Amino acid sequence: MPTTFEIAQLLIEKLKDGIPVEQAKNELEIKSERWFAISAKAYALYLADAEKQRDQDILKKNVSATSNQEIRQILTLNEKLADYALLLHSLATMADFEYISDLAENLPQSETNTLEYLSKQSMHPGFRARQKKGRFETLTPFKPFVQIIDAALICFYRQNYISAYLTLAPVIEGVLLRWTGYNGTGNKPEFDEHRKFFKRSHIRQPCPSNVLFHNVYNKGCDKILNDHLFKPTQSGDSHSNFNRHLAAHLLNDNHFATWENCNRLFLLLDTMSEIYVYETREPDPRFNIHTDDLKADVEIYAGLILDTQLKNVTEKILLQEHLKPKESR
């Protein structure tokens, strides 16, 4: 019988040739009981090969790429940010990385400044419109939730963070369910499976595209789900009450529907869409969107922000204690 290592190598070659995962499994006659170990080995080998290739690419002239050393530094930063249920944005530049790294040196005192910097990227109307058109309206697990995500965003821009958070929080689980193929019929995956979702990404795709950054974002999402959003309440408090169970069951009177936690949800959702693109091994649809396709949504989002800033809107009157970051209240 071929070893796990040998089958993993054969699997990698088939997936690199564009053969779908299920077809490759069938062609190699991989039994279900062996799939976890073989797919995990294939992922590890594929990641190691990508690291070796990156070292070679860095030595070439006219090649601009993030080095393995820099990627390890990003991993370390994300590990620290994830303690606060945060992640480096997927479009962050090395300049952004360096700035946030400096802020992270002073956590938790710099938490609000870190969140505000991340929010300028992730909540900008232009970026949110591009995510909607190029990701959420296109990627299968996200499609059913486009209007719900928009509803949450409208509330966010109007500074109604209570409605924004309670609207968006269930979408995380809904996306994971669709990602696994669940369509509302048959046996629903156990909730504990969601907590393992990113840790076990190799069973869905052992050879994702851009595997170096798939590994970065996958680890970040895994930690945020397990240490915060999906953390069992009997295991202790999540940072800043960023916890799905607290929102779903209103277990205590702690504030959770805040500006900070709304940012955390959007950042997590964006990162999940990045991972999904890597797992499909398809071109990122976000980069096929023309600026003209975004104009209407950008104008609406920007208009909501401006109206809220200039007018004494209802949210400002009734929801004062939830409006701004903690240090700005």
Side-chain angles (χ1 to χ4, degrees):
M1 176 184 292
T3 66
T4 296
F5 178 83
E6 291 169 337
I7 299 177
Q9 288 183 311
L10 294 173
L11 177 63
I12 290 172
E13 293 306 313
K14 286 185 177 293
L15 297 179
K16 286 169 63 177
D17 287 341
I19 296 175
V21 173
E22 288 301 317
Q23 181 180 334
K25 287 170 63 176
N26 291 333
E27 290 180 3
L28 293 172
E29 299 181 343
I30 302 174
K31 295 182 179 180
S32 298
E33 58 268 24
R34 296 193 67 189
W35 177 242
F36 186 93
I38 290 171
S39 61
K41 174 59 71 175
Y43 186 93
L45 292 173
Y46 191 64
L47 178 62
D49 286 344
E51 290 172 342
K52 291 177 184 178
Q53 184 62 51
R54 181 58 58 94
D55 282 336
Q56 295 173 15
D57 290 342
I58 291 296
L59 298 176
K60 297 176 182 177
K61 294 181 179 180
N62 302 320
V63 172
S64 178
T66 310
S67 69
N68 284 319
Q69 180 180 356
E70 290 170 330
I71 291 172
R72 285 191 289 271
Q73 291 171 342
I74 293 171
L75 272 167
T76 300
L77 174 61
N78 261 353
E79 178 78 13
K80 188 168 188 177
L81 291 176
D83 288 337
Y84 301 86
L86 296 172
L87 288 167
L88 189 67
H89 198 273
S90 62
L91 291 185
T93 64
M94 286 308 295
D96 294 325
F97 163 76
E98 291 169 1
Y99 186 84
I100 295 174
S101 292
D102 288 341
L103 287 174
E105 290 297 319
N106 295 313
L107 285 169
Q109 290 80 6
S110 63
E111 182 180 350
T112 295
N113 289 337
T114 302
L115 262 163
E116 287 178 337
Y117 188 86
L118 291 170
S119 184
K120 287 178 182 178
Q121 294 178 313
S122 62
M123 302 310 298
H124 187 281
F127 178 72
R128 292 265 45 100
R130 189 168 293 275
Q131 284 295 91
K132 175 183 175 181
K133 295 295 183 182
R135 288 280 177 89
F136 303 145
E137 288 186 353
T138 305
L139 304 179
T140 301
F142 299 84
K143 281 183 183 180
F145 307 108
V146 172
Q147 288 190 320
I148 297 176
I149 296 169
D150 235 3
L153 184 60
I154 290 168
C155 291
F156 180 87
Y157 284 147
R158 287 183 60 88
Q159 299 183 3
N160 182 351
Y161 304 124
I162 296 173
S163 294
Y165 186 87
L166 291 173
T167 299
L168 194 59
V171 172
I172 303 299
E173 184 177 354
V175 168
L176 296 182
L177 284 169
R178 303 309 187 281
W179 200 332
T180 60
Y182 181 75
N183 61 4
T185 61
N187 294 325
K188 178 184 173 184
E190 295 292 332
F191 188 76
D192 195 50
E193 293 299 307
H194 295 332
R195 298 186 65 219
K196 300 174 183 175
F197 188 85
F198 292 105
K199 195 185 303 294
R200 303 176 65 182
S201 67
H202 56 84
I203 67 174
R204 297 185 299 276
Q205 176 54 268
C207 300
S209 63
N210 200 5
V211 64
L212 296 175
F213 278 92
H214 177 275
N215 185 50
V216 169
Y217 299 128
N218 207 54
K219 286 184 175 179
C221 285
D222 177 66
K223 184 168 182 178
I224 287 177
L225 287 190
N226 283 280
D227 291 0
H228 305 290
L229 190 61
F230 288 173
K231 182 179 182 178
T233 51
Q234 65 268 26
S235 299
D237 295 332
S238 301
H239 181 75
S240 197
N241 299 308
F242 186 61
N243 186 274
R244 172 257 189 201
H245 309 294
L246 181 58
H249 306 295
L250 301 177
L251 300 171
N252 56 48
D253 297 333
N254 294 335
H255 287 312
F256 58 84
T258 61
W259 176 89
E260 295 91 336
N261 283 346
C262 289
N263 272 278
R264 289 182 169 99
L265 283 175
F266 277 106
L267 187 58
L268 176 60
L269 191 66
D270 291 342
T271 308
M272 288 166 56
S273 75
E274 190 80 8
I275 294 170
Y276 184 80
V277 169
Y278 295 156
E279 288 192 9
T280 62
R281 294 182 63 90
E282 297 291 336
D284 187 348
R286 189 173 60 193
F287 298 113
N288 294 327
I289 302 299
H290 194 275
T291 304
D292 290 343
D293 300 326
L294 308 176
K295 186 177 179 180
D297 282 329
V298 172
E299 288 180 352
I300 291 171
Y301 298 156
L304 284 167
I305 295 172
L306 185 60
D307 283 348
T308 304
Q309 290 173 341
L310 296 179
K311 298 177 182 178
N312 197 24
V313 297
T314 302
E315 286 83 355
K316 284 187 176 182
I317 298 171
L318 298 180
L319 307 175
Q320 280 294 319
E321 65 178 304
H322 291 271
L323 289 186
K324 298 177 181 177
K326 285 178 284 191
E327 292 181 7
S328 304
R329 287 177 186 160

